[in-house]
């Protein structure tokens, strides 16, 4: 018998339990409404607004990715929360592209102007480059950004704290070899 039993009668304890269960149920319904029902997309001119239909959303809303537990709601959160997004979607991990392909594929295709059957061919042979930028061109600087991920870890929007710590250890270990 715990000390709480001495202070409260059985009816009060059962009532507290009932109230607690009902509160959790209300919170769960609010959670489901926010994350599982088709959201209002504030970026009305975004690619998300164009390609995330009610049917597509409802089909995918309850799915979470295996790598980082990412959801479609998390992927489109910026288009839902802000009214100034052009694309409005971010992948949380590699699984996002596969698991939410019904949404990602048409957005990627439209954004990049590619067809559904387009395939990337990697060519890193710099000897094929001819010439250089004309030195008279009014260019102060340029950059080419190449982002890579680590297999089995979430991308920036979806990486978990545990995965971040594991990546930190991975890089710490790798940098000792330099």
């Amino acid at each position: 018998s715990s000390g709480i039993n001495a202070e409260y009668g059985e009816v009060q304890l059962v009532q507290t339990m009932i109230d607690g269960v009902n509160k959790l149920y209300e919170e769960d319904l609010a959670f489901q409404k926010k994350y599982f029902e088709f959201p209002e997309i504030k970026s009305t001119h975004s690619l998300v607004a164009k390609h995330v239909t009610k049917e597509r959303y409802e089909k995918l809303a309850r799915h979470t990715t295996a790598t980082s537990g990412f959801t479609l709601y998390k992927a489109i959160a910026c288009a839902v929360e802000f009214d100034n997004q052009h694309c409005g979607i971010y992948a949380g991990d590699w699984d996002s592209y596969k698991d939410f392909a019904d949404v990602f594929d048409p957005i990627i295709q439209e954004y990049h102007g590619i067809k559904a059957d387009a395939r990337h061919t990697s060519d890193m042979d710099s000897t094929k480059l001819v010439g250089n930028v004309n030195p008279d061109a009014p260019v102060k600087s340029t950059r080419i950004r190449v982002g890579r991920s680590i297999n089995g870890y979430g991308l920036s929007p979806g990486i978990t704290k545990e995965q971040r710590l594991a990546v930190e250890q991975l890089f710490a270990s790798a940098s000792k070899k330099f």
Side-chain angles (χ1 to χ4, degrees):
S1 75
S2 65
I4 196 166
N5 290 339
E7 296 178 32
Y8 302 100
E10 291 81 4
V11 169
Q12 188 176 3
L13 291 171
V14 171
Q15 187 62 56
T16 301
M17 184 268 312
I18 290 169
D19 294 344
V21 168
N22 287 336
K23 178 68 175 164
L24 287 172
Y25 179 62
E26 288 174 19
E27 290 174 358
D28 186 57
L29 290 176
F31 173 85
Q32 290 182 42
K33 182 173 177 58
K34 180 174 183 179
Y35 295 103
F36 299 145
E37 290 183 11
F38 186 65
E40 174 191 352
I41 298 170
K42 291 183 181 173
S43 290
T44 56
H45 298 293
S46 67
L47 294 176
V48 163
K50 181 176 180 180
H51 294 286
V52 179
T53 63
K54 186 174 194 294
E55 295 74 28
R56 284 181 180 162
Y57 187 84
E58 288 175 352
K59 174 184 172 189
L60 301 168
R62 295 181 184 274
H63 180 77
T64 58
T65 62
T67 300
S68 61
F70 213 66
T71 64
L72 182 57
Y73 184 87
K74 289 177 183 178
I76 66 169
C78 60
V80 171
E81 299 294 326
F82 303 106
D83 64 2
N84 61 351
Q85 301 297 299
H86 172 67
C87 280
I89 193 165
Y90 294 94
D93 48 36
W94 170 246
D95 300 336
S96 297
Y97 294 108
K98 298 180 301 171
D99 297 356
F100 307 124
D102 288 352
V103 170
F104 271 95
D105 287 355
I107 290 173
I108 292 168
Q109 290 159 15
E110 181 168 341
Y111 182 80
H112 291 288
I114 58 175
K115 295 181 179 173
D117 61 352
R119 296 288 174 253
H120 173 74
T121 304
S122 183
D123 184 354
M124 303 293 278
D125 184 0
S126 63
T127 63
K128 294 179 181 176
L129 297 173
V130 179
N132 206 337
V133 175
N134 184 328
D136 295 328
V139 176
K140 300 217 184 278
S141 69
T142 62
R143 75 178 183 136
I144 298 172
R145 182 186 176 279
V146 177
R148 293 287 182 246
S149 60
I150 301 170
N151 192 23
Y153 295 93
L155 302 172
S156 291
I159 194 167
T160 65
K161 182 177 181 179
E162 294 78 18
Q163 290 174 344
R164 285 185 193 277
L165 293 173
V167 169
E168 180 181 345
Q169 290 301 313
L170 186 67
F171 277 100
S173 175
S175 65
K176 288 178 184 175
K177 298 176 183 175
F178 296 149

